[in-house]
């Protein structure tokens, strides 16, 4: 097998490969333990790099900013940034107001006034439209009033005028209808008028610092009409939403998160929110899907949450499932990293085993199976891995089995898979596995261990494979099984009983492979089971005994088979004459009652069989034939 | 007090220049990456905080030159990088040696102590790398920046940025030794 070159591995680690080349590397990694180890080393190097950079205190940014502002305030000469003049229109508007809150109030009042003036001047306006506009004015004015009650921030621009009266909007308020329960803008407005208002509002939002709740309402009513102008004017929408998502109150933050969720370009907002509001973000992603394919930062954020060492294990499990449920390239790479870490955690603590099981139940099938095969070699993880592996394969065997065989080039993966196939009755999968074993024989001890651990079921499966398949590996499999059986009398008994139920063929096959002293043990169970089947399995087993050079056993067993007809015995004697001793044939003749006619008939029948190609060597046949003839024709 | 730079550059976004709230917002989003880069290049948090503070001051004064707020992060990282280069030049060889020395005998169990030792070795090796290599590798691995993003921070082309990353990685691997303590 050709291993990955250093450069290609670097490219993979640094995420520089395009789709097909990345897929090729991943396909190789799935089957090459050596390259996986190299990759793990590279990942460990990355992890060490990240960890060695340390982590900043949670309030590091605030402390830096506080220090910056303190420095600037303490030294006024430093405080002035290099400002460029603002556009005249904005300066004019801002100059008329003191602070952002007052600006909001004035803006909304002006908007409401314009709307009402426009409505009054427009003779085509319907009463409903006028009412709607009045409603808009009321809502906006209420918001402005609320905003005006907040303390105004000091202006940073010394050129700005002093604040105007906050209640300058009162005349517009007086023209509005009496107070009513607040509704969101747009709840009862004419769509065209609402669109116009939204556009006006959106244009001005870019220049004003709106309170979070007001902005939240505006965004609720008109997310896209508001966000689109913001983007066009290069407003840092992600920073805005990040602020709302991370620092907004309980009512606003979910809204900002939802908006970020709706726009894949804002996935970084969700990523940032994952650190502060992981449960909320996870809930959102679980409900609406995660745009992981387009966001490295979100994926990395999820990976952080998914690491149970770093936070809440319950949330870690949810994050793991989210990542594992995706099958795109980046998510797959993340899942592979999670699986590697999960195996390590499972080795370290029992709680990690549950985590590994959970993750492998949700991971893409190929990644999950590869991991389970690898981890299942370890005694402590074997039962869990086996259970999950079996569930995953059984849930979709058509996809799972070819996938496994296709990916199995590594000798180390063959044994556990073979073990699984044998243990679960999927011996049909064994043929390609044996082909792999033939190419790379490996260690016989593995198969012995398989039988040792799996008992009669595994022995039965291995025996089936050894009987059905051709080739060196199947032969070696059988030999390994026989070695185990030779030392495990009880296992041999149980296996023989199971095989006897299936008939004579497999039992005979087993007996043929056993050492001579064990053949009688194996076949006896068959004869017990088939003693009344004189012409079928019983005779076949007797024949086998004779053919395998155990005529004495055969003759002893004959005594236990009263239903066997004399002619059958004679036929048996003739058929097996090459190996039966003469005395055995004579005993058979005696059991048949010494009837010459029957002997002659049996001889003719057997003679035809002999003529058909099973003729024994003349040196053995001739003396026996002479004796038989002398007995039959005295 | 206010410097007018009209005619020299396009006007910046009205909400940024001189606006402490907007500046703070942008700094919060980029602070982690900036501090991490400074810590990587200077080897300890105290020097990193100092360099970052100087960089923030420069950014505040240079805010008018920032045309696109979306590019604030990269712009700030570039300032931090150059600030750290200045700080390294000022720092004496002796100080660097002391800062880069491995930690004293750890008190944790063997696994934790092995990890601490490894991280100390990584820090030591990274500190010995040329700063541009160290910064390139850090920005690529720690910050997950694309080459097209990290190249302007270091004054490189994307292709040369990649070369720096690969060289740094190989140097790190080589200097950590064959086992590296990573397995």
């Amino acid at each position: 097998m050709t291993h990955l070159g250093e450069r290609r591995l670097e490219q993979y680690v640094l995420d520089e490969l395009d789709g097909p080349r990345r897929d090729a590397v991943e396909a190789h990694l799935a089957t090459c333990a050596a390259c996986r180890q190299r990759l793990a080393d590279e990942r460990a190097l990355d992890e060490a790099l990240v960890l060695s950079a340390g982590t900043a205190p949670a309030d590091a940014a605030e402390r830096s900013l506080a220090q910056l502002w303190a420095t600037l305030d303490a030294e006024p000469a430093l405080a002035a940034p290099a400002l460029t003049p603002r556009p005249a229109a904005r300066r004019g508007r801002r100059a008329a107001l003191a602070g952002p809150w007052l600006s909001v109030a004035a803006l909304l009042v002006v908007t409401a006034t314009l709307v009402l003036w426009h409505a009054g001047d427009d003779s085509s306006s319907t009463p409903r439209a006028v009412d709607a506009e009045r409603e808009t004015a009321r809502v906006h004015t209420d918001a402005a009033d609320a905003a005006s009650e907040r303390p105004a921030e000091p202006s940073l621009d010394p050129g700005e005028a002093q604040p105007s009266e906050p209640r300058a909007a009162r005349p517009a308020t007086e023209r509005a209808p009496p107070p009513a329960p607040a509704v969101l803008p747009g709840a009862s407005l004419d769509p065209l008028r609402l669109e116009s208002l939204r556009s006006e509002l959106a244009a001005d939002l870019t220049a004003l610092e709106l309170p979070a709740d007001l902005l939240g309402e505006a965004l609720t009513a008109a997310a896209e009409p508001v966000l689109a102008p913001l983007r066009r004017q290069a407003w840092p929408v992600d920073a805005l939403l990040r602020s709302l998502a991370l620092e907004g109150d309980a009512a606003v933050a979910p809204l900002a998160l939802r908006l970020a969720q709706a726009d894949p370009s804002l996935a970084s907002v969700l990523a940032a929110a994952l650190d502060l509001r992981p449960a909320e973000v996870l809930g959102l992603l679980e409900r609406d899907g995660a745009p992981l394919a387009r966001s490295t930062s979100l994926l990395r954020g999820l990976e952080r949450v998914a690491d149970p060492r770093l936070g809440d294990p319950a949330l870690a499990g949810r994050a793991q499932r989210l990542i594992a449920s995706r099958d795109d390239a980046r998510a797959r790479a993340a899942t592979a990293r999670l699986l590697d870490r999960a195996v390590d955690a499972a080795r370290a603590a029992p709680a990690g085993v549950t985590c590994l099981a959970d993750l492998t139940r949700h991971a893409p099938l190929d990644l999950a199976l590869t991991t389970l095969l690898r981890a299942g070699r370890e005694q402590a993880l074997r039962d869990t891995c086996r259970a999950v592996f079996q569930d995953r394969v059984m849930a979709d065997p058509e996809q799972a089995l070819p996938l496994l065989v296709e990916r199995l080039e590594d000798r180390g993966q063959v044994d556990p898979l073979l073990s699984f196939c044998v243990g679960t009755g999927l011996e049909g999968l064994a043929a390609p596995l044996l082909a792999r074993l033939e190419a790379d024989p490996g260690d016989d001890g593995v198969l012995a261990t398989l039988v040792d651990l799996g008992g009669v079921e595994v022995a039965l499966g291995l025996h089936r494979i050894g009987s059905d398949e051709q080739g060196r590996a199947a032969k070696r499999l059988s030999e390994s099984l026989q070695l185990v059986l030779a030392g495990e009398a009880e296992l041999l008994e149980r296996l023989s009983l199971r095989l006897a139920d299936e008939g004579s063929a497999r039992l005979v096959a087993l007996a043929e492979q056993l050492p001579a002293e064990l053949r009688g043990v194996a076949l006896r169970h068959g004869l017990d089971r088939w003693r009344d089947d004189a012409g079928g399995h019983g005779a076949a087993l007797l024949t086998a005994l004779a053919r395998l050079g155990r005529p004495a056993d055969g003759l002893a067993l004959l005594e236990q088979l009263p239903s066997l007809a004399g002619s059958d015995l004679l036929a048996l004697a003739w058929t097996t004459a090459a190996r039966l001793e003469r005395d055995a044939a004579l005993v058979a003749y005696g059991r048949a009652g010494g009837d010459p006619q029957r002997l002659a008939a049996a001889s003719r029948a057997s003679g035809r069989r002999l003529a058909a190609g099973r003729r024994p060597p003349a040196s053995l046949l001739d003396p026996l034939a002479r004796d038989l003839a002398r007995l039959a024709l005295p | 007090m206010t410097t007018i730079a009209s005619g020299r550059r396009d006007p910046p976004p009205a909400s940024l220049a001189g606006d402490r709230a907007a500046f703070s917002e942008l700094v919060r989003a980029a602070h982690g990456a900036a501090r991490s880069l400074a810590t990587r290049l200077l080897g300890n948090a105290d020097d990193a905080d100092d360099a970052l503070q100087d960089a923030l001051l420069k950014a505040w004064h240079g805010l008018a030159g920032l045309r696109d707020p979306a590019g604030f992060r990269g712009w700030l990282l570039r300032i931090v990088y150059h600030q750290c280069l200045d700080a390294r030049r000022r720092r004496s060889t002796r100080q660097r040696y002391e800062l880069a020395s491995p930690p004293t005998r750890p008190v944790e169990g063997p696994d934790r102590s092995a990890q601490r030792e490894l991280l100390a070795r990584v820090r030591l090796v990274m500190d010995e790398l040329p700063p541009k290599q160290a910064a390139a590798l850090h920005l690529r691995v720690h910050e997950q920046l694309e080459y097209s993003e990290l190249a302007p921070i270091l004054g490189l082309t994307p292709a040369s940025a990649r070369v720096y990353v690969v060289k740094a990685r190989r140097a790190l691997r080589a200097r950590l030794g064959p086992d590296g303590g990573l397995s």
Side-chain angles (χ1 to χ4, degrees):
Chain A
M1 183 188 306
T2 304
H3 294 296
L4 294 174
E6 182 184 14
R7 184 161 175 272
R8 181 51 54 94
L9 195 60
E10 277 174 355
Q11 288 174 323
Y12 180 73
V13 171
L14 293 171
D15 204 9
E16 295 173 356
L17 296 176
D18 56 15
R21 288 192 296 169
R22 186 174 54 237
D23 291 345
V25 169
E26 287 176 352
H28 175 80
L29 286 171
T31 59
C32 178
C35 288
R36 273 202 309 278
Q37 183 58 48
R38 291 169 59 210
L39 176 64
D41 288 346
E42 293 297 323
R43 298 251 190 250
L45 182 64
D46 279 357
E47 192 171 354
L49 266 174
V50 172
L51 291 174
S52 69
T55 53
D59 60 347
E62 298 307 323
R63 278 166 42 192
S64 290
L65 285 166
Q67 189 180 343
L68 175 65
W69 304 140
T71 304
L72 293 172
D73 291 340
E75 299 181 53
L78 292 174
L83 291 175
T84 53
R86 294 173 175 175
R90 296 195 189 286
R91 287 199 78 195
R93 184 166 56 217
R94 287 185 69 90
L97 300 171
W101 310 118
L102 298 179
S103 302
V104 173
L107 165 69
L108 296 174
V109 168
V110 168
T111 304
T113 305
L114 286 173
V115 167
L116 289 175
W117 173 79
H118 185 64
D121 195 44
D122 184 357
S123 57
S124 65
S125 294
T126 63
R128 181 182 174 188
V130 172
D131 289 344
E133 288 156 2
R134 284 179 178 165
E135 180 69 5
T136 305
R138 183 191 61 72
V139 170
H140 286 185
T141 308
D142 286 348
D145 286 345
S148 69
E149 289 171 11
R150 299 167 187 262
E153 292 181 3
S155 169
L156 296 175
D157 189 343
E160 287 182 346
Q162 290 304 306
S164 60
E165 284 297 318
R167 292 293 172 183
R170 181 57 60 192
T173 310
E174 289 168 359
R175 293 171 61 184
V183 293
L184 292 177
S188 60
L189 289 180
D190 174 76
L192 292 177
R193 181 70 65 199
L194 176 62
E195 187 60 36
S196 166
L197 287 172
R198 282 172 178 162
S199 299
E200 287 180 34
L201 180 61
D204 286 299
L205 281 172
T206 59
L208 300 174
E209 299 170 5
L210 291 177
D213 52 351
L214 181 60
L215 182 57
E217 286 191 357
L219 294 177
T220 302
E224 264 320 298
V226 170
L227 291 179
L230 291 177
R231 290 196 187 91
R232 279 202 298 274
Q233 296 182 31
W235 180 270
V237 174
D238 57 340
L240 187 67
L241 287 178
R242 179 178 286 108
S243 168
L244 292 175
L246 303 184
E247 297 164 14
D249 60 28
V252 176
L255 167 70
L257 289 174
R258 279 206 305 277
L259 288 171
Q261 161 76 1
D263 185 345
S265 69
L266 298 179
S268 63
V269 174
L270 295 177
L274 265 172
D275 291 331
L276 287 180
R277 301 173 182 273
E280 236 168 308
V281 177
L282 286 175
L284 198 62
L285 297 178
E286 285 164 348
R287 192 172 63 245
D288 297 334
L292 298 183
R294 282 177 284 185
S295 172
T296 302
S297 62
L298 183 54
L299 197 57
R300 298 292 291 186
L302 276 174
E303 267 195 85
R304 281 198 301 278
V305 180
D307 190 339
R309 297 170 301 179
L310 305 180
D312 183 347
L315 293 180
R318 291 169 60 188
Q320 288 171 0
R321 284 192 287 278
L322 262 175
I323 297 172
S325 62
R326 307 283 305 199
D327 206 11
D328 53 76
R330 286 179 186 275
R332 282 176 58 84
T335 303
R337 290 192 289 273
L338 285 178
L339 287 167
D340 284 344
R341 285 202 289 270
V343 172
D344 291 341
R347 287 190 188 113
V353 179
T354 309
C355 175
L356 175 64
D358 190 49
L359 187 53
T360 46
R361 285 187 192 282
H362 293 90
L365 187 61
D366 56 337
L367 293 179
L369 296 184
T370 305
T371 301
L372 290 167
L373 286 170
R374 179 161 51 93
R377 291 182 217 159
E378 300 181 28
Q379 178 72 22
L381 308 179
R382 190 188 60 175
D383 291 344
T384 301
C385 290
R386 178 179 287 252
V388 178
F389 188 100
Q390 189 164 342
D391 289 347
R392 294 295 308 259
V393 173
M394 291 305 184
D396 191 1
E398 286 81 9
Q399 184 189 354
L401 298 184
L403 192 67
L404 284 168
V405 176
E406 180 186 330
R407 285 172 176 260
L408 283 176
E409 290 177 6
D410 179 4
R411 173 67 177 81
Q413 293 178 337
V414 174
D415 297 329
L417 182 59
L418 188 60
S419 168
F420 168 78
C421 297
V422 169
T424 54
L426 295 172
E427 291 95 356
L429 182 63
L433 292 175
L434 293 176
R436 299 289 165 83
L437 282 175
E438 283 189 16
D440 185 6
D443 179 13
D444 277 343
V446 175
L447 294 174
T449 307
L450 277 184
V451 180
D452 188 36
L453 294 174
V456 70
E457 293 298 332
V458 169
L460 191 62
L462 288 175
H463 175 65
R464 287 195 184 112
I465 295 170
S467 304
D468 295 344
E469 303 296 335
Q470 302 296 318
R472 285 178 297 150
K475 184 166 180 283
R476 196 169 53 79
L477 203 62
S478 295
E479 289 168 354
S480 296
L481 176 62
Q482 311 322 320
L483 284 175
V484 175
L485 293 175
E488 298 283 345
E490 185 189 353
L491 182 63
L492 174 59
E493 295 269 349
R494 291 166 60 198
L495 179 61
S496 301
L497 281 170
R498 291 289 299 270
L499 289 174
D501 288 341
E502 297 183 6
S504 57
R506 288 192 186 281
L507 195 56
V508 169
L510 174 68
E512 285 174 341
Q513 294 162 353
L514 287 172
E517 63 274 16
L518 296 179
R519 288 172 181 162
V521 176
L523 292 181
R524 182 176 296 115
H525 291 289
L527 290 167
D528 286 345
R529 170 71 178 77
W530 297 105
R531 65 174 60 221
D532 295 327
D533 187 13
H537 294 301
L541 291 169
L542 272 175
T543 303
L545 267 177
R547 183 160 50 84
L548 294 174
R550 306 286 296 179
D553 286 342
L555 292 173
L557 290 170
L558 284 177
E559 303 297 331
Q560 303 171 11
L561 299 174
S563 62
L564 207 58
S567 57
D568 293 326
L569 280 173
L570 287 174
L572 177 64
W574 271 105
T575 304
T576 59
R579 294 186 181 241
L580 281 175
E581 296 173 1
R582 236 184 303 176
D583 289 346
L586 294 176
V587 170
Y589 174 71
R591 285 281 316 276
D595 182 344
Q597 298 304 319
R598 295 175 65 184
L599 177 61
S603 300
R604 285 195 292 273
S606 298
R608 284 197 293 274
R609 283 199 285 274
L610 290 171
R614 287 192 282 174
R615 184 182 183 85
S619 57
L620 290 176
L621 182 60
D622 290 348
L624 178 61
R626 276 200 303 274
D627 287 341
L628 285 173
R630 181 165 46 81
L631 287 169
L633 304 170
Chain B
M1 216 148 76
T2 301
T3 302
I4 304 298
S6 59
R8 189 163 54 89
R9 292 189 178 101
D10 290 337
S15 55
L16 285 185
D19 187 334
R20 289 191 179 191
F23 183 75
S24 298
E25 200 58 55
L26 294 171
V27 168
R28 285 187 193 103
H31 188 274
R35 188 176 188 277
S36 168
L37 176 63
T39 307
R40 169 65 72 207
L41 290 175
L42 296 177
N44 70 92
D46 291 339
D47 286 356
D49 283 338
D50 288 347
L52 182 55
Q53 199 56 222
D54 292 341
L56 289 177
L57 198 57
K58 284 187 176 178
W60 169 256
H61 285 293
L63 204 54
L66 178 64
R67 292 185 184 184
D68 179 10
F72 179 82
R73 185 166 179 259
W75 181 66
L76 179 63
L77 287 176
R78 181 168 185 161
I79 296 174
V80 169
Y81 171 66
H82 287 287
Q83 197 65 37
C84 291
L85 291 187
D86 290 343
R88 284 172 69 110
R89 286 188 202 105
R90 287 195 298 269
R91 202 162 67 184
S92 71
T93 305
R94 178 176 158 276
Q95 282 173 318
R96 287 178 61 194
Y97 177 77
E98 287 175 354
L99 291 168
S101 297
T104 53
R105 179 181 296 275
V107 296
E108 296 89 348
D111 290 343
R112 185 66 69 86
S113 78
Q115 189 186 31
R116 282 173 58 97
E117 190 177 343
L118 169 64
L119 297 185
R121 289 174 62 198
V122 171
R123 284 192 203 103
L124 179 63
V125 173
M126 287 295 283
D127 199 41
E128 289 171 348
L129 288 180
K132 195 167 279 191
Q133 281 189 22
L137 184 58
H138 175 83
L139 291 172
R140 178 67 182 170
V141 173
H142 194 274
E143 302 302 329
Q144 304 254 313
L145 294 187
E146 300 294 336
Y147 293 121
S148 58
E149 293 173 314
L150 72 88
I153 295 172
L154 305 179
L156 299 168
T157 64
S160 55
R162 185 188 177 280
V163 172
Y164 271 87
V165 169
V166 172
K167 276 187 176 176
R169 195 181 183 88
R170 290 181 179 173
L172 181 61
R173 167 67 70 195
R175 293 187 200 186
L176 283 176
D179 62 336
L182 297 168
S183 298

